[in-house]
Amino acid sequence: MSSARVDYIAPWWTYWLHQFPHVTLRFQPLDHTFKPQDENYQQSLIFLGCVAAAGLGVNLLCLAIYLSCLCCCRKEEEEEESKKSNSCCVTWAAVAAGLICCVAVGVGFYGNSETNDGVYQLTYSLYNANHTLTGVDSLVTGTVGGMQNGLNEHLSRLGEIFATRGDFVQTLQFMQQMSDNIIKQLLGLPDWEKAKVDLAAIADQTAYVEYYRWLTYLLILILDLVICLAACLGLAKQSRWLLTTMMVCGVLTLILSWASLGADVATAVGTSDFCVAPDKFLMNQTKDVISSDIVHYYLYCSQTLPNPFQQSLTLFQRSLTTMQIQIQGLLQFAVPLFPTAERDLLSIQHLLNNSEASLHQLTALLDCRGLNKDYLDALIGVCYDGVEGLLYLCLFSLLAACAFSVMLCAIPRAWRQIANRDRDYDDIDDGDPFNPQSRRITSHHSHQGNMHSFCSYSSSMGSQTSLHPPTQAVTNAPLSEYMNQSALFGGNPRYENVPLIGRGSPPPSYSPTMRATYLSMTEDQIRHFGEDFRA
């Protein structure tokens, strides 16, 4: 014995989610039966969203306490070891936040894709089932209309033609009874329109909602990744405005992560309640519209279950066969006597042949295997791919919340380090000769003060009358001598060929122009620039 029932087994995660507490907003426990129209059941799902909102409140409260302690309990970090420790903590926090965010985005992309695949399989199955049911209704309506209108019209004309032959009229009356019997059997089939469920409309609405859900999560994933990377860039560049912007965006993204977590958990629990006992829910929904035997036949589709349409289809087939035999007899015996009846008899024969073709199509469509396959495909898509994807999206929301919580803890400490660095830099004495900024300023002023005399000296090309030597007192202190020479020849490429004076370094090779300039100097000038210049 083979049964389609064993083809669907609810996955373990649906049973796990089904065990979640179902509590109304008034803290009244409920059973776990899937009842989407029930107000109390809807409140139980909203309660799960409120639990996620409570988690958001706790998270924000912890961050507020942390930031308050960080602001109120400031300690002077003057020791270099303490600064290195804090910098190391901020670095590792940024690395941890970045890694967690990347993992969260990867999990989110997978979960979003899985959920979309499950919903697509559901809508595809709904479209197929709707096509089957629409085909059944179309065949029944067409056959009944042909019997009621076309057949009766032809039988009426034949009755007028065969008025003088009682045996032929009796045959026509028998065919009318067979036609009424066929109509009765077809009208006895279930009218799916009475169920007031348009599967195509449900599929369209589901696909519409799913598209915007998928697009929304895609934008959230991209936004989380961009914010995380921008925050890491702000920490690396130590940019205050970028860190401030990312902190505000981090708080908003944290709220969005907890909100998506609540929505995903509520949806996953509600879907799992359906996936644990889908047959029971569908039988309760259709008990007032369709016979339970028919619903049971399609849901389980077992070889041992009788076909509820078998009797109606068999009577339909027998009635058609009988009518075709009667038409063949009339064509054989009545047409030679009444030639005008041939046209109506052939039209009736064509109508019966079309009805027989509709009967075969109707038998195939009413078979349980087609609708049961669509039903199982929809269940597998929703309960396996769909719920699994929702669980991954829940994990993404949790990881994103953790990543942005760590980021929001690291940014204020980085802000303090930037502020301390700027304060220490502003405290440096501008008169300190070892301050790079002070040396640049001193060099700049000295260079401007001595530039004119040196240019005059260089432009004379050896003329002693145009030379105006510096008037500063020369000391033997190496630092003072170095500073004066730095001011005179301070890094300007125009003076790289001037001899090195007073450095105690080996003399370089001089060009003829430089040697002529040296020979044109007076003894006082030579003593002024140093004894080493004699070499």
Side-chain angles (χ1 to χ4, degrees), residues 276-297:
V276 169
D279 302 337
K280 181 179 178 182
F281 170 75
L282 292 177
M283 294 188 71
N284 290 333
Q285 290 294 112
T286 58
K287 63 181 179 180
D288 297 332
V289 180
I290 303 175
S291 173
S292 60
D293 295 337
I294 297 176
V295 178
H296 194 270
Y297 170 71

PDB file of all heavy atoms in Angstrom, residues 276-297:
ATOM      1  N   VAL A 276       2.436  21.898  11.374  1.00  0.00           N
ATOM      2  CA  VAL A 276       2.332  20.714  12.228  1.00  0.00           C
ATOM      3  C   VAL A 276       1.058  19.927  11.919  1.00  0.00           C
ATOM      4  O   VAL A 276       1.061  18.693  11.910  1.00  0.00           O
ATOM      5  CB  VAL A 276       2.397  21.132  13.710  1.00  0.00           C
ATOM      6  CG1 VAL A 276       2.018  19.976  14.620  1.00  0.00           C
ATOM      7  CG2 VAL A 276       3.796  21.620  14.052  1.00  0.00           C
ATOM      8  N   ALA A 277      -0.047  20.602  11.649  1.00  0.00           N
ATOM      9  CA  ALA A 277      -1.322  19.929  11.356  1.00  0.00           C
ATOM     10  C   ALA A 277      -2.055  20.660  10.233  1.00  0.00           C
ATOM     11  O   ALA A 277      -3.092  21.278  10.465  1.00  0.00           O
ATOM     12  CB  ALA A 277      -2.180  19.849  12.607  1.00  0.00           C
ATOM     13  N   PRO A 278      -1.529  20.608   8.997  1.00  0.00           N
ATOM     14  CA  PRO A 278      -2.189  21.338   7.908  1.00  0.00           C
ATOM     15  C   PRO A 278      -3.509  20.702   7.483  1.00  0.00           C
ATOM     16  O   PRO A 278      -4.445  21.395   7.089  1.00  0.00           O
ATOM     17  CB  PRO A 278      -1.150  21.303   6.784  1.00  0.00           C
ATOM     18  CG  PRO A 278      -0.346  20.086   7.061  1.00  0.00           C
ATOM     19  CD  PRO A 278      -0.307  19.940   8.542  1.00  0.00           C
ATOM     20  N   ASP A 279      -3.583  19.365   7.550  1.00  0.00           N
ATOM     21  CA  ASP A 279      -4.804  18.676   7.117  1.00  0.00           C
ATOM     22  C   ASP A 279      -5.995  19.066   7.990  1.00  0.00           C
ATOM     23  O   ASP A 279      -7.104  19.297   7.481  1.00  0.00           O
ATOM     24  CB  ASP A 279      -4.597  17.166   7.170  1.00  0.00           C
ATOM     25  CG  ASP A 279      -3.438  16.723   6.300  1.00  0.00           C
ATOM     26  OD1 ASP A 279      -3.095  17.468   5.363  1.00  0.00           O
ATOM     27  OD2 ASP A 279      -2.872  15.648   6.554  1.00  0.00           O
ATOM     28  N   LYS A 280      -5.769  19.136   9.255  1.00  0.00           N
ATOM     29  CA  LYS A 280      -6.848  19.487  10.184  1.00  0.00           C
ATOM     30  C   LYS A 280      -7.378  20.890   9.900  1.00  0.00           C
ATOM     31  O   LYS A 280      -8.596  21.120   9.909  1.00  0.00           O
ATOM     32  CB  LYS A 280      -6.330  19.389  11.615  1.00  0.00           C
ATOM     33  CG  LYS A 280      -7.366  19.714  12.671  1.00  0.00           C
ATOM     34  CD  LYS A 280      -6.773  19.578  14.063  1.00  0.00           C
ATOM     35  CE  LYS A 280      -7.800  19.944  15.135  1.00  0.00           C
ATOM     36  NZ  LYS A 280      -7.207  19.850  16.497  1.00  0.00           N
ATOM     37  N   PHE A 281      -6.483  21.822   9.639  1.00  0.00           N
ATOM     38  CA  PHE A 281      -6.921  23.186   9.364  1.00  0.00           C
ATOM     39  C   PHE A 281      -7.742  23.253   8.080  1.00  0.00           C
ATOM     40  O   PHE A 281      -8.799  23.907   8.037  1.00  0.00           O
ATOM     41  CB  PHE A 281      -5.693  24.095   9.262  1.00  0.00           C
ATOM     42  CG  PHE A 281      -5.998  25.473   8.754  1.00  0.00           C
ATOM     43  CD1 PHE A 281      -6.617  26.406   9.568  1.00  0.00           C
ATOM     44  CD2 PHE A 281      -5.670  25.837   7.446  1.00  0.00           C
ATOM     45  CE1 PHE A 281      -6.907  27.684   9.096  1.00  0.00           C
ATOM     46  CE2 PHE A 281      -5.952  27.106   6.969  1.00  0.00           C
ATOM     47  CZ  PHE A 281      -6.579  28.026   7.801  1.00  0.00           C
ATOM     48  N   LEU A 282      -7.295  22.589   7.014  1.00  0.00           N
ATOM     49  CA  LEU A 282      -8.008  22.646   5.741  1.00  0.00           C
ATOM     50  C   LEU A 282      -9.371  21.959   5.833  1.00  0.00           C
ATOM     51  O   LEU A 282     -10.351  22.430   5.238  1.00  0.00           O
ATOM     52  CB  LEU A 282      -7.164  22.001   4.646  1.00  0.00           C
ATOM     53  CG  LEU A 282      -5.889  22.762   4.269  1.00  0.00           C
ATOM     54  CD1 LEU A 282      -5.089  22.002   3.219  1.00  0.00           C
ATOM     55  CD2 LEU A 282      -6.220  24.159   3.758  1.00  0.00           C
ATOM     56  N   MET A 283      -9.477  20.878   6.564  1.00  0.00           N
ATOM     57  CA  MET A 283     -10.768  20.205   6.712  1.00  0.00           C
ATOM     58  C   MET A 283     -11.740  21.068   7.507  1.00  0.00           C
ATOM     59  O   MET A 283     -12.939  21.090   7.218  1.00  0.00           O
ATOM     60  CB  MET A 283     -10.573  18.845   7.368  1.00  0.00           C
ATOM     61  CG  MET A 283      -9.790  17.856   6.512  1.00  0.00           C
ATOM     62  SD  MET A 283      -9.762  16.174   7.175  1.00  0.00           S
ATOM     63  CE  MET A 283     -11.444  15.666   6.882  1.00  0.00           C
ATOM     64  N   ASN A 284     -11.233  21.804   8.486  1.00  0.00           N
ATOM     65  CA  ASN A 284     -12.111  22.705   9.233  1.00  0.00           C
ATOM     66  C   ASN A 284     -12.564  23.882   8.375  1.00  0.00           C
ATOM     67  O   ASN A 284     -13.684  24.376   8.529  1.00  0.00           O
ATOM     68  CB  ASN A 284     -11.384  23.224  10.479  1.00  0.00           C
ATOM     69  CG  ASN A 284     -11.175  22.152  11.517  1.00  0.00           C
ATOM     70  OD1 ASN A 284     -11.943  21.185  11.603  1.00  0.00           O
ATOM     71  ND2 ASN A 284     -10.128  22.297  12.325  1.00  0.00           N
ATOM     72  N   GLN A 285     -11.704  24.327   7.466  1.00  0.00           N
ATOM     73  CA  GLN A 285     -12.054  25.461   6.619  1.00  0.00           C
ATOM     74  C   GLN A 285     -13.088  25.096   5.554  1.00  0.00           C
ATOM     75  O   GLN A 285     -13.852  25.957   5.112  1.00  0.00           O
ATOM     76  CB  GLN A 285     -10.794  26.012   5.930  1.00  0.00           C
ATOM     77  CG  GLN A 285      -9.832  26.714   6.865  1.00  0.00           C
ATOM     78  CD  GLN A 285     -10.417  27.987   7.460  1.00  0.00           C
ATOM     79  OE1 GLN A 285     -10.677  28.058   8.660  1.00  0.00           O
ATOM     80  NE2 GLN A 285     -10.637  28.981   6.637  1.00  0.00           N
ATOM     81  N   THR A 286     -13.129  23.835   5.135  1.00  0.00           N
ATOM     82  CA  THR A 286     -14.002  23.431   4.027  1.00  0.00           C
ATOM     83  C   THR A 286     -15.175  22.554   4.464  1.00  0.00           C
ATOM     84  O   THR A 286     -15.901  22.050   3.602  1.00  0.00           O
ATOM     85  CB  THR A 286     -13.176  22.664   2.979  1.00  0.00           C
ATOM     86  OG1 THR A 286     -12.556  21.523   3.610  1.00  0.00           O
ATOM     87  CG2 THR A 286     -12.096  23.549   2.384  1.00  0.00           C
ATOM     88  N   LYS A 287     -15.370  22.371   5.747  1.00  0.00           N
ATOM     89  CA  LYS A 287     -16.406  21.437   6.201  1.00  0.00           C
ATOM     90  C   LYS A 287     -17.810  21.906   5.851  1.00  0.00           C
ATOM     91  O   LYS A 287     -18.709  21.079   5.687  1.00  0.00           O
ATOM     92  CB  LYS A 287     -16.279  21.222   7.707  1.00  0.00           C
ATOM     93  CG  LYS A 287     -16.510  22.481   8.538  1.00  0.00           C
ATOM     94  CD  LYS A 287     -16.334  22.187  10.015  1.00  0.00           C
ATOM     95  CE  LYS A 287     -16.546  23.444  10.854  1.00  0.00           C
ATOM     96  NZ  LYS A 287     -16.379  23.170  12.302  1.00  0.00           N
ATOM     97  N   ASP A 288     -18.037  23.201   5.728  1.00  0.00           N
ATOM     98  CA  ASP A 288     -19.375  23.711   5.406  1.00  0.00           C
ATOM     99  C   ASP A 288     -19.599  23.877   3.912  1.00  0.00           C
ATOM    100  O   ASP A 288     -20.705  24.259   3.499  1.00  0.00           O
ATOM    101  CB  ASP A 288     -19.597  25.056   6.103  1.00  0.00           C
ATOM    102  CG  ASP A 288     -19.561  24.942   7.613  1.00  0.00           C
ATOM    103  OD1 ASP A 288     -19.894  23.856   8.132  1.00  0.00           O
ATOM    104  OD2 ASP A 288     -19.176  25.932   8.265  1.00  0.00           O
ATOM    105  N   VAL A 289     -18.604  23.622   3.097  1.00  0.00           N
ATOM    106  CA  VAL A 289     -18.713  23.871   1.663  1.00  0.00           C
ATOM    107  C   VAL A 289     -18.579  22.581   0.855  1.00  0.00           C
ATOM    108  O   VAL A 289     -19.361  22.317  -0.052  1.00  0.00           O
ATOM    109  CB  VAL A 289     -17.639  24.889   1.220  1.00  0.00           C
ATOM    110  CG1 VAL A 289     -17.734  25.154  -0.271  1.00  0.00           C
ATOM    111  CG2 VAL A 289     -17.773  26.176   2.017  1.00  0.00           C
ATOM    112  N   ILE A 290     -17.597  21.766   1.177  1.00  0.00           N
ATOM    113  CA  ILE A 290     -17.292  20.548   0.427  1.00  0.00           C
ATOM    114  C   ILE A 290     -17.372  19.362   1.381  1.00  0.00           C
ATOM    115  O   ILE A 290     -17.029  19.464   2.564  1.00  0.00           O
ATOM    116  CB  ILE A 290     -15.893  20.641  -0.213  1.00  0.00           C
ATOM    117  CG1 ILE A 290     -15.817  21.875  -1.109  1.00  0.00           C
ATOM    118  CG2 ILE A 290     -15.579  19.395  -1.022  1.00  0.00           C
ATOM    119  CD1 ILE A 290     -14.444  22.123  -1.682  1.00  0.00           C
ATOM    120  N   SER A 291     -17.798  18.258   0.849  1.00  0.00           N
ATOM    121  CA  SER A 291     -17.915  17.047   1.652  1.00  0.00           C
ATOM    122  C   SER A 291     -16.554  16.643   2.218  1.00  0.00           C
ATOM    123  O   SER A 291     -15.516  16.767   1.560  1.00  0.00           O
ATOM    124  CB  SER A 291     -18.485  15.914   0.804  1.00  0.00           C
ATOM    125  OG  SER A 291     -18.447  14.693   1.512  1.00  0.00           O
ATOM    126  N   SER A 292     -16.584  16.151   3.432  1.00  0.00           N
ATOM    127  CA  SER A 292     -15.335  15.733   4.077  1.00  0.00           C
ATOM    128  C   SER A 292     -14.689  14.564   3.346  1.00  0.00           C
ATOM    129  O   SER A 292     -13.458  14.426   3.363  1.00  0.00           O
ATOM    130  CB  SER A 292     -15.605  15.359   5.538  1.00  0.00           C
ATOM    131  OG  SER A 292     -16.535  14.292   5.619  1.00  0.00           O
ATOM    132  N   ASP A 293     -15.498  13.713   2.688  1.00  0.00           N
ATOM    133  CA  ASP A 293     -14.921  12.603   1.923  1.00  0.00           C
ATOM    134  C   ASP A 293     -14.078  13.114   0.766  1.00  0.00           C
ATOM    135  O   ASP A 293     -13.004  12.563   0.475  1.00  0.00           O
ATOM    136  CB  ASP A 293     -16.043  11.699   1.397  1.00  0.00           C
ATOM    137  CG  ASP A 293     -16.810  11.014   2.516  1.00  0.00           C
ATOM    138  OD1 ASP A 293     -16.228  10.884   3.619  1.00  0.00           O
ATOM    139  OD2 ASP A 293     -17.973  10.634   2.300  1.00  0.00           O
ATOM    140  N   ILE A 294     -14.565  14.160   0.114  1.00  0.00           N
ATOM    141  CA  ILE A 294     -13.813  14.717  -1.010  1.00  0.00           C
ATOM    142  C   ILE A 294     -12.523  15.362  -0.534  1.00  0.00           C
ATOM    143  O   ILE A 294     -11.452  15.150  -1.127  1.00  0.00           O
ATOM    144  CB  ILE A 294     -14.692  15.736  -1.767  1.00  0.00           C
ATOM    145  CG1 ILE A 294     -15.921  15.034  -2.360  1.00  0.00           C
ATOM    146  CG2 ILE A 294     -13.892  16.437  -2.848  1.00  0.00           C
ATOM    147  CD1 ILE A 294     -16.890  15.975  -3.033  1.00  0.00           C
ATOM    148  N   VAL A 295     -12.587  16.150   0.544  1.00  0.00           N
ATOM    149  CA  VAL A 295     -11.376  16.787   1.084  1.00  0.00           C
ATOM    150  C   VAL A 295     -10.391  15.725   1.549  1.00  0.00           C
ATOM    151  O   VAL A 295      -9.171  15.818   1.295  1.00  0.00           O
ATOM    152  CB  VAL A 295     -11.745  17.747   2.227  1.00  0.00           C
ATOM    153  CG1 VAL A 295     -10.498  18.377   2.815  1.00  0.00           C
ATOM    154  CG2 VAL A 295     -12.705  18.821   1.737  1.00  0.00           C
ATOM    155  N   HIS A 296     -10.871  14.700   2.218  1.00  0.00           N
ATOM    156  CA  HIS A 296     -10.017  13.615   2.684  1.00  0.00           C
ATOM    157  C   HIS A 296      -9.366  12.899   1.503  1.00  0.00           C
ATOM    158  O   HIS A 296      -8.188  12.491   1.558  1.00  0.00           O
ATOM    159  CB  HIS A 296     -10.862  12.637   3.514  1.00  0.00           C
ATOM    160  CG  HIS A 296     -10.037  11.676   4.315  1.00  0.00           C
ATOM    161  ND1 HIS A 296      -9.635  10.455   3.818  1.00  0.00           N
ATOM    162  CD2 HIS A 296      -9.541  11.744   5.581  1.00  0.00           C
ATOM    163  CE1 HIS A 296      -8.936   9.813   4.727  1.00  0.00           C
ATOM    164  NE2 HIS A 296      -8.868  10.571   5.815  1.00  0.00           N
ATOM    165  N   TYR A 297     -10.115  12.740   0.422  1.00  0.00           N
ATOM    166  CA  TYR A 297      -9.582  12.065  -0.768  1.00  0.00           C
ATOM    167  C   TYR A 297      -8.413  12.844  -1.360  1.00  0.00           C
ATOM    168  O   TYR A 297      -7.391  12.253  -1.754  1.00  0.00           O
ATOM    169  CB  TYR A 297     -10.719  11.915  -1.788  1.00  0.00           C
ATOM    170  CG  TYR A 297     -10.294  11.449  -3.146  1.00  0.00           C
ATOM    171  CD1 TYR A 297      -9.863  10.139  -3.356  1.00  0.00           C
ATOM    172  CD2 TYR A 297     -10.333  12.319  -4.239  1.00  0.00           C
ATOM    173  CE1 TYR A 297      -9.481   9.715  -4.616  1.00  0.00           C
ATOM    174  CE2 TYR A 297      -9.967  11.908  -5.501  1.00  0.00           C
ATOM    175  CZ  TYR A 297      -9.530  10.599  -5.690  1.00  0.00           C
ATOM    176  OH  TYR A 297      -9.155  10.173  -6.939  1.00  0.00           O
TER     177      TYR A 297
END
